[in-house]
Amino acid sequence: MDEIKIALLSCGAEYSGVYPEIEKAINKFNAKIIHPFVETSDIDDAVEEIGMDVASPDLRLMAAKAKSLVEKNADADAVFICTCFRCAEGALMRNEVRRYIAERSNIPIISYSFTERTTAATLYTRMEALTTTARRKALLAIKKQEGLTAGIDSGSTTTKAVVMQDNEIIGHGWVPTTQVIESASKAFSLALEEAGIKQNEIEAFGATGYGRLLIGENMHPNFVQEEITVNSKGAAFLADKQEGMATVIDIGGMDNKAISMMNGIPGSFTMGGICAGASGRFLEIASRRLGVSIEELGPLALKGDYRNVEMNSYCIVFGIQSLVNMLSQGAEPADVASAACHSVSEQIFEQQLQEIDIKEPVIMVGGCSLISGLVKIMEDLLRVKIIVPKDSQYIGAVGASLLASGFRR
Amino acid sequence: MKIFIFPPTSLILSDLVERFGHDPLAMMKVVRERVTGPSLDSPPINVTPNDVKDGLKYVAVEVPSGVRGRLALMAPLVEKADAAIMVKNADYTFGCVGCARTNEYLRYFVKRRRIPYIELEYPYTEEEAKEFVISIKNFLSNLENKNG
């Protein structure tokens, strides 16, 4: 595996105690940090060229490093841009520097805002995505599925599999995740069965999702890849938005991803997973309390109005308790269903979507994209029309199957 | 007397203060102590997440970690200072903290402590430079007179 050179454009990292964590995360994927060389006399010119006249000298230096990169004075394969969380000036400059580099080069970029609690582990998926984008440019350029391939997405709640042939999905499998390998085998078998294909006829298959490494060791797929890269490809393919900017919102059973992508390749993204109140699990419990299936929750929420229900907390315990209290006080089940969807949407909006550029089209995928009430409330919050492509719940499996085209025998 | 200099990384200011017989409170010494200490837990300047928590003595948790980490190093210098010399709109090569918010806070912190201070514009001509050095000399001499 070739060593990747990642240009670090940062402000505040060495004073936040996170520089070693960034270095550790970069080194894990056989990459190393480089610092683009600049003269102090270059700084003001670079700021002038980018046009964002910030006050902080380290952010101005970031502009000069970006200019040095696009003028090819630094030999970098990828760029990692990071500034302190909650710094408005840093967030503005981070975004503009990212845009400046993206418009003038094809170097993959990931941006991030850190706190002193950022650890290497929180950066692993990001660095894996960044180094993959740098190493596998040809693979990620694939826009059309060819031959007979399959993909498995081992999620924390459900395991999905698809079989694809000549750019069409011909088989689906979806099972609850229990044991990773057992669930993956079952989902794969269901997809093969629907497609009427035997496993030995599959030319290549890929694995993604949180159980991907275990699948890699036991089922020997042709490639194993984190879900940010794979889901971006899957979303672009399913929504037929393979060119230009787009935003992917993936609300899963346990965690969420918001990805800002360019030509189907992730640029910046955020990953949730800290609070169950912002996950599909909250909606599962809410539907159980309402006595409806999760499939019925969305249409029910569409008939209600969340403003009629008082919710004091986003928490999966206290928030659900609020809903139960409202039901006992005679609230309409439709209003309660709407309030549950609003609670999840608003928390994702406040905690995740504000960290990335929301560029239309906005594509919603993952199991929760099937809950129509949730999609509608998210549309209201973002004030955009959201695309939910067909087979949106199979996003990871489709992305894996699409990329597996590049590994066919 | 102990003189806080701003920018705290300015070698020229540090040298001037020393030449006029005072003890400059500058970043170089703080960083040297950190990187030559027995352990280097967090390269390059050995600021650890615990140091960032020390910054909470000065500003709230909602203030970005980079500001709190810088203040953990620099604000104690202001606390130790008997007086301060602060230079505004300095060239990058004169010395630099890197973060405008930290700069704002440090200048404010000096004023809040009500110690004697002088604020000077960075000199760009030879004439201004002479005036700059004379102002610093007079400021430091006056401090001695007041205390002597």
Side-chain angles (χ1 to χ4, degrees):
Chain A
M1 194 163 59
D2 297 337
E3 190 179 59
I4 295 286
K5 291 187 277 292
I6 299 181
L8 180 64
L9 273 55
S10 67
C11 178
E14 57 275 51
Y15 288 98
S16 298
V18 297
Y19 190 93
E21 299 296 315
I22 295 171
E23 196 168 33
K24 198 166 142 191
I26 286 177
N27 292 345
K28 183 179 167 71
F29 297 99
N30 194 28
K32 68 171 183 182
I33 294 176
I34 63 155
H35 298 280
F37 176 76
V38 294
E39 300 273 4
T40 50
S41 55
D42 299 335
I43 296 175
D44 289 347
D45 285 348
V47 170
E48 179 76 22
E49 188 169 321
I50 291 178
M52 175 64 75
D53 195 359
V54 288
S56 289
D58 278 0
L59 291 174
R60 296 173 77 85
L61 180 63
M62 183 186 276
K65 287 182 178 177
K67 188 165 186 276
S68 175
L69 269 177
V70 300
E71 289 174 353
K72 303 200 188 311
N73 295 325
D75 181 20
D77 303 303
V79 187
F80 184 59
I81 307 173
C82 57
T83 60
C84 298
F85 180 58
R86 293 198 195 100
C87 175
E89 190 188 28
L92 288 168
M93 196 57 167
R94 199 174 67 229
N95 237 10
E96 293 318 309
V97 163
R98 183 164 66 86
R99 192 193 316 275
Y100 173 81
I101 299 171
E103 284 172 0
R104 287 164 180 78
S105 75
N106 59 1
I107 309 173
I109 311 161
I110 277 185
S111 65
Y112 186 68
S113 62
F114 52 76
T115 70
E116 69 272 29
R117 296 180 62 223
T118 296
T119 61
T122 58
L123 297 171
Y124 285 160
T125 304
R126 290 172 173 84
M127 290 307 170
E128 190 182 353
L130 184 62
T131 51
T132 300
T133 313
R135 280 195 182 98
R136 294 181 164 176
K137 275 185 190 161
L139 179 69
L140 295 181
I142 293 174
K143 290 178 179 158
K144 197 175 168 199
Q145 187 274 340
E146 289 173 342
L148 191 54
T149 64
I152 301 172
D153 177 5
S154 174
S156 55
T157 306
T158 56
T159 301
K160 287 77 66 179
V162 297
V163 173
M164 294 178 74
Q165 186 168 33
D166 301 331
N167 220 31
E168 298 286 340
I169 301 170
I170 58 167
H172 307 76
W174 181 349
V175 298
T177 302
T178 50
Q179 300 289 320
V180 167
I181 300 303
E182 191 184 295
S183 303
S185 303
K186 200 169 169 190
F188 197 7
S189 300
L190 288 171
L192 288 166
E193 194 180 312
E194 186 189 326
I197 298 283
K198 290 192 179 71
Q199 191 171 338
N200 60 11
E201 292 176 72
I202 295 288
E203 294 172 89
F205 79 104
T208 189
Y210 101 110
R212 66 186 183 279
L213 298 176
L214 208 53
I215 293 175
E217 284 168 22
N218 291 275
M219 296 174 75
H220 311 294
N222 299 75
F223 81 101
V224 172
Q225 192 64 53
E226 39 66 42
E227 51 270 40
I228 298 292
T229 311
V230 175
N231 288 12
S232 295
K233 289 304 293 180
F237 175 85
L238 286 176
D240 196 19
K241 302 287 178 191
Q242 308 242 26
E243 306 293 335
M245 294 289 291
T247 307
V248 180
I249 302 172
D250 180 358
I251 307 176
M254 290 286 271
D255 70 2
N256 315 309
K257 296 156 206 86
I259 309 166
S260 172
M261 64 179 188
M262 173 65 126
N263 299 334
I265 295 172
S268 60
F269 51 85
T270 58
M271 291 175 73
I274 294 170
C275 176
S279 71
R281 186 57 56 90
F282 184 96
L283 298 172
E284 264 183 56
I285 295 175
S287 58
R288 212 177 299 151
R289 288 291 193 161
L290 283 161
V292 298
S293 69
I294 188 80
E295 289 82 7
E296 291 166 321
L297 184 74
L300 182 64
L302 285 177
K303 292 181 202 157
D305 184 346
Y306 63 85
R307 283 165 292 207
N308 296 332
V309 170
E310 195 181 326
M311 271 192 82
N312 299 322
S313 171
Y314 290 138
C315 173
I316 200 160
V317 176
F318 299 116
I320 293 289
Q321 194 56 46
S322 288
L323 297 179
V324 172
N325 288 344
M326 291 307 290
L327 281 171
S328 68
Q329 288 169 31
E332 289 295 323
D335 291 342
V336 171
S338 174
C341 292
H342 183 261
S343 177
V344 171
S345 301
E346 197 172 51
Q347 195 177 182
I348 291 168
F349 175 71
E350 285 178 5
Q351 295 181 1
Q352 283 192 266
L353 298 180
Q354 307 218 353
E355 288 180 50
I356 62 160
D357 252 356
I358 301 286
K359 295 288 179 199
E360 289 188 69
V362 177
I363 306 162
M364 204 156 149
V365 293
C368 291
S369 64
L370 302 178
I371 301 172
S372 49
L374 184 72
V375 178
K376 174 72 177 64
I377 287 171
M378 191 61 90
E379 281 182 336
D380 293 345
L381 282 171
L382 294 176
R383 295 170 196 275
V384 298
K385 181 83 191 139
I386 290 177
I387 298 169
V388 180
K390 185 171 177 279
D391 292 321
S392 61
Q393 70 274 41
Y394 293 99
I395 176 87
V398 170
S401 180
L402 173 67
L403 291 173
S405 289
F407 292 89
R408 283 187 306 144
R409 291 184 289 269
Chain B
M1 293 174 80
K2 289 185 168 63
I3 311 296
F4 174 69
I5 57 167
F6 183 89
T9 51
S10 173
L11 290 168
I12 293 173
L13 271 184
S14 175
D15 183 56
L16 272 175
V17 169
E18 217 161 1
R19 275 169 195 254
F20 293 129
H22 293 277
D23 181 14
L25 295 172
M27 264 287 277
M28 290 72 84
K29 196 175 171 195
V30 178
V31 172
R32 186 167 61 237
E33 279 168 8
R34 286 177 170 269
V35 299
T36 56
S39 69
L40 187 58
D41 301 319
S42 182
I45 52 175
N46 218 14
V47 172
T48 66
N50 278 339
D51 292 317
V52 182
K53 284 181 194 153
D54 291 344
L56 291 170
K57 182 180 172 191
Y58 308 101
V59 290
V61 72
E62 64 192 355
V63 173
S65 53
V67 177
R68 283 184 280 129
R70 285 176 172 95
L71 288 181
L73 267 60
M74 299 171 203
L77 298 177
V78 179
E79 287 178 317
K80 281 186 220 158
D82 301 309
I85 299 169
M86 299 189 280
V87 178
K88 292 195 283 189
N89 303 316
D91 188 79
Y92 302 117
T93 51
F94 185 72
C96 170
V97 167
C99 167
R101 302 293 89 78
T102 309
N103 290 348
E104 286 160 7
Y105 187 85
L106 285 172
R107 286 202 293 264
Y108 155 78
F109 195 38
V110 165
K111 292 171 187 175
R112 201 182 77 182
R113 277 212 59 222
R114 300 183 188 282
I115 54 173
Y117 70 89
I118 182 173
E119 270 188 306
L120 299 164
E121 281 293 330
Y122 178 76
Y124 282 92
T125 65
E126 196 176 329
E127 209 46 48
E128 285 171 356
K130 282 178 187 165
E131 194 57 41
F132 179 82
V133 175
I134 291 167
S135 300
I136 290 174
K137 184 175 185 293
N138 290 342
F139 174 71
L140 293 173
S141 302
N142 285 340
L143 285 178
E144 285 164 16
N145 294 338
K146 276 181 195 167
N147 285 279

